[in-house]
Amino acid sequence: MSVPDVSPLIAALQALLNPSKVDEHLVCAGADASDAAGEGPRTFLLHVRFNEDLPKIEDLARYLWEQCFYYALPRRRQLALKKEAENDPSAMLRVGKAARDAFIAFNEKNPSRASEVAEVLAYCVVQHYLDASQVVAKMGLKTSSNMPVHGLDGVHAKYENGALTIYFLEAKLAKSANGGAKDYAESASNFLSNRSQYLREYQIVSELGNLDALEEPERQLALDHFDILGKPKLHRRERYIGVICYSEKKYGDKLTVTDGPIDVHEKHFTTTYTAKHGHHRAAALKHLKNNGATPRKCMVFYVAVPDVNALRKSFYQEMGVPLPAGMEDIDGPDEDEAAEVDQLEAVVTVGLEETST
């Protein structure tokens, strides 16, 4: 079998990357190198930037809402709305409405869901820190009355080191880092043990994803790389990403406000938070192993905020809509001690279930 020229695929996936300035709102306090020794998982610690002594939670919420145009809308619709706005600036009003309507429709269909802001955050984090393009707008599919709500929170991809790397995303809002890691590990286990759902995600990307916006022959080359049944010899690797946004109590350990260096408060928190890197990696490792995952194929991004409920409420304020009825505050144990996790039984189903379009 001849090796295809993948340079068009690399360029096409790069073209699907959207503008991202998430590092203007988040600080990376710790990151494992791609070749980090040990069992894994690769672990990243992120936290909100400060305005002197105050974490800028509202600024982060505003940024996440602005990114919803890219996160929630399929690529073809993005391009169509951009073209309309170029010809008629008043069309920009429809741009915001299109993104807002996607979230309203989602919450009307799923009033108990509470993690949309984490899903947008996960999209931004993977785009920026892993340089991986979104290949399907899952929010647009989840608002369809014909689509199941269950499934991954996102699928991104990047061609690197001789293979297409597919990133499967799980986003969690949690009261504690440990609780979020536990939820992520269980979700990853449920996905990995369900052959039908695993194949469904590839089918959704191929039939309903952003690859449709590519030109030929790049589009077909990309589709071939996502055809795991028809093109099994093409090189692929899979990574399972957990983006865990949680309430961090260390924000309460404040320095006295002085007229000295204005960034001293942010640097103080970064130092305190960095010290948790090993602890948080160990917690994720324990939960992943207990759930039968391969930690070296997993990456965990912990995003520390003062209060996840405040972030979620600010997000809806920026959207300009009230909190969905029935959406309660996220609660749970505050401690981050490693909790025991029950082993989940793997239920493997074979055959590809037909995805309704």
Side-chain angles (χ1 to χ4, degrees), residues 19 36 63 69 85 101 110 127 146 205 223 230 234 300 302 306 318 353:
Y63 168 77
F69 171 75
D101 287 350
N110 313 287
Q127 265 228 147
N146 294 322
V205 171
L223 288 173
L234 293 179
V300 180
Y302 290 98
E318 291 294 336
E353 293 179 359

Side-chain angles (χ1 to χ4, degrees), residues 292-337:
T294 303
R296 290 290 296 180
K297 291 186 177 181
C298 299
M299 300 183 203
V300 180
F301 290 83
Y302 290 98
V303 184
V305 299
D307 184 350
V308 290
N309 294 305
L311 174 63
R312 188 174 49 157
K313 291 172 184 176
S314 293
F315 179 74
Y316 275 91
Q317 288 172 355
E318 291 294 336
M319 195 188 305
V321 299
L323 283 173
M327 184 176 282
E328 299 178 352
D329 282 353
I330 294 168
D331 204 355
D334 288 329
E335 67 276 359
D336 275 336
E337 295 301 321

Side-chain angles (χ1 to χ4, degrees), residues 21-193:
K21 296 181 179 179
V22 71
D23 58 327
E24 294 183 354
H25 302 278
L26 295 176
V27 175
C28 183
D32 288 331
S34 59
D35 58 351
E39 294 182 271
R42 286 182 62 194
T43 303
F44 303 74
L45 300 188
L46 309 176
H47 71 79
V48 184
R49 290 194 178 275
F50 281 58
N51 177 20
E52 193 174 4
D53 62 322
L54 300 176
K56 298 196 288 186
I57 197 79
E58 293 85 2
D59 288 2
L60 175 60
R62 184 181 67 251
Y63 168 77
L64 293 176
W65 166 238
E66 292 169 353
Q67 289 295 299
C68 285
F69 171 75
Y70 299 111
Y71 164 72
L73 303 181
R75 187 73 173 191
R76 281 191 177 277
R77 191 166 188 207
Q78 293 176 28
L79 297 175
L81 287 169
K82 285 181 181 178
K83 188 173 182 179
E84 287 182 33
E86 289 174 0
N87 296 328
D88 178 6
S90 69
M92 288 188 291
L93 296 175
R94 292 198 294 275
V95 172
K97 184 177 185 299
R100 186 179 295 107
D101 287 350
F103 280 86
I104 292 174
F106 177 70
N107 285 311
E108 286 176 348
K109 185 169 180 259
N110 313 287
S112 64
R113 286 293 297 270
S115 63
E116 309 97 304
V117 66
E119 293 172 13
V120 184
L121 179 62
Y123 155 80
C124 295
V125 163
V126 171
Q127 265 228 147
H128 180 78
Y129 292 100
L130 298 180
D131 200 31
S133 306
Q134 182 193 54
V135 291
V136 60
K138 297 299 290 286
M139 175 61 74
L141 301 180
K142 289 177 179 178
T143 60
S144 169
S145 60
N146 294 322
M147 286 297 299
V149 176
H150 62 271
L152 297 170
D153 293 324
V155 183
H156 288 234
K158 178 182 180 181
Y159 198 97
E160 58 184 350
N161 300 326
L164 179 70
T165 302
I166 300 102
Y167 297 101
F168 296 130
L169 275 60
E170 285 286 352
K172 300 296 180 184
L173 284 183
K175 188 71 172 176
S176 70
N178 184 69
K182 179 177 181 292
D183 289 345
Y184 157 63
E186 291 176 349
S187 294
S189 175
N190 288 335
F191 172 69
L192 293 173
S193 65

